[in-house]
């Protein structure tokens, strides 16, 4: 019930933010969400003994996100900054040099993981097909969230009621093959609903490809986060969202699905 109530609250609110507000509001929201997710990943890393450079890593992540939204900021700038600044930060901190490489590598990976994948969520919003006179970016963003959240919800309930065969027991014992199939079916249904509700430019082939693609990659993204939590010995990354745990528990599928939708749009949907 908490999952249903969370969706009832978040989906209409998200629709208003994406469709009615200035794109900068969405960009700020995504950046703040990214920082919360970054904090949760640092928490998982700390549980395994890594001493991450949290503030510096957060700066790198924000700069990477900015490179997706601001013309003139090349992603190579924050990458170079991180590669230079993080080892210097470990040198300055001193102490035992044994864990230094692991601390630096973990900090850099987390900052890039968050920065790049959240960056695609920002980049989607700023796609605008001016000749067609529409706001393609806002439709794409809501399409992504609608399909992935529908898939996540369908996977949860189908798995809860019909799940028998484990999908990846060593990573997430409660996830089942039946739940995964239900999740992909939910994504397909959501894509077709979107094609008659708010994104009428979607062709049937787009609905099928995006339903299968976003549903499948979303499940894989969920498994990746489960792997990270299991490796850290933690059940949830946090307890921020009712019924869903932390921010990572809510956006893990979106982070993997965002680049898929972005490139599918550019290579297959843009011409029609």
């Amino acid at each position: 019930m908490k999952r249903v109530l969370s969706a009832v609250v978040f989906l209409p609110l998200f629709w208003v933010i994406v469709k009615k507000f200035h794109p900068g509001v969405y960009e700020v929201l995504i950046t703040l969400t990214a920082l919360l997710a970054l904090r949760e990943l640092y928490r998982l890393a700390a549980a395994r003994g890594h001493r991450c450079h949290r503030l510096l890593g957060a700066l790198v992540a924000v700069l990477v996100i900015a490179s997706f939204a601001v013309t003139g900021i090349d992603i190579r700038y924050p990458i170079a900054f991180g590669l230079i600044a993080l080892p210097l930060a470990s040198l300055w901190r001193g102490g035992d040099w044994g864990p230094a490489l692991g601390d630096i590598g973990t900090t850099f990976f987390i900052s890039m993981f968050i920065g790049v994948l959240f960056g695609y969520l920002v980049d989607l919003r700023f796609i605008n097909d001016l000749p067609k006179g529409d706001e393609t970016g806002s439709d794409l963003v809501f399409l992504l969230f609608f399909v992935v959240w529908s898939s996540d919800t369908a996977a949860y309930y189908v798995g809860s009621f019909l799940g028998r065969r484990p999908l990846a027991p060593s990573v997430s014992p409660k996830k089942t093959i039946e739940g995964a199939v239900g999740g992909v079916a939910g994504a397909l249904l959501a894509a077709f609903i979107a094609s008659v509700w708010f994104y009428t430019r979607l062709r049937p082939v787009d609905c099928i490809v995006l339903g299968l693609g976003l549903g499948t990659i979303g499940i894989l993204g969920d498994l990746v986060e489960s792997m990270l939590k299991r490796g850290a010995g933690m059940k949830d990354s946090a307890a921020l969202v009712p019924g869903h745990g932390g921010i990572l528990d809510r956006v893990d599928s979106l982070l993997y699905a965002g680049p898929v939708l972005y490139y599918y749009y550019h290579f297959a949907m843009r011409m029609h």
Side-chain angles (χ1 to χ4, degrees):
M1 183 56 65
K2 287 182 179 179
R3 298 175 79 92
V4 174
L5 292 177
S6 294
V8 168
V9 172
F10 287 144
L11 204 58
L13 177 61
F14 191 72
W15 170 270
V16 172
I17 291 172
V18 172
K19 300 293 291 184
K20 303 301 181 182
F21 288 9
H22 187 276
V25 175
Y26 170 77
E27 183 181 355
V28 170
L29 176 64
I30 290 297
T31 302
L32 293 176
T33 304
L35 290 174
L36 290 173
L38 188 81
R39 179 175 177 269
E40 292 175 10
L41 278 177
Y42 283 146
R43 182 168 173 255
L44 296 182
R48 299 302 301 169
H50 293 290
R51 297 173 62 204
C52 292
H53 303 284
R54 299 190 177 204
L55 292 179
L56 199 54
L59 177 58
V60 172
V62 170
L63 290 174
V64 170
I65 294 173
S67 73
F68 281 83
V70 180
T71 302
I73 301 181
D74 193 304
I75 194 173
R76 291 175 295 182
Y77 301 158
I79 290 175
F81 173 72
L83 290 174
I84 294 171
L86 290 173
L88 290 176
S90 284
L91 182 64
W92 177 266
R93 185 164 62 188
D96 181 12
W97 304 119
L101 185 59
D103 295 342
I104 294 167
T106 301
T107 304
F108 186 72
F109 169 76
I110 289 175
S111 64
M112 295 305 297
F113 181 85
I114 293 297
V116 171
L117 296 184
F118 273 96
Y120 276 103
L121 299 185
V122 170
D123 216 3
L124 274 173
R125 178 62 184 88
F126 287 93
I127 293 174
N128 190 14
D129 287 342
L130 292 177
K132 295 183 174 63
D134 59 15
E135 293 185 358
T136 304
S138 62
D139 288 335
L140 284 171
V141 167
F142 196 75
L143 174 67
L144 175 69
F145 279 72
F146 179 63
V147 171
V148 172
W149 282 355
S150 297
S151 175
D152 177 66
T153 302
Y156 178 80
Y157 283 108
V158 171
S160 297
F161 288 102
L162 302 177
R164 296 293 183 271
R165 294 170 292 178
L167 177 65
S170 63
V171 175
S172 184
K174 291 186 178 181
K175 290 183 175 62
T176 62
I177 294 175
E178 292 81 3
V181 172
V184 173
L188 280 167
L189 177 61
F192 277 101
I193 291 174
S195 70
V196 298
W197 174 20
F198 64 90
Y199 205 137
T200 55
R201 288 168 55 193
L202 283 178
R203 303 167 297 174
V205 65
D206 296 326
C207 295
I208 294 172
V209 172
L210 289 176
L212 294 174
L214 298 182
T216 301
I217 197 68
I219 291 169
L220 294 175
D222 194 10
L223 288 175
V224 167
E225 202 233 342
S226 295
M227 173 189 70
L228 296 176
K229 290 188 297 184
R230 181 163 289 272
M234 302 175 69
K235 182 178 183 297
D236 289 316
S237 57
L240 186 62
V241 183
H244 293 281
I247 288 294
L248 279 173
D249 297 302
R250 183 73 297 222
V251 303
D252 48 11
S253 300
L254 289 167
L255 293 182
Y256 270 59
V260 173
L261 177 57
Y262 179 87
Y263 288 113
Y264 182 77
Y265 171 79
H266 279 287
F267 289 111
M269 293 172 59
R270 197 169 191 172
M271 303 306 295
H272 69 270

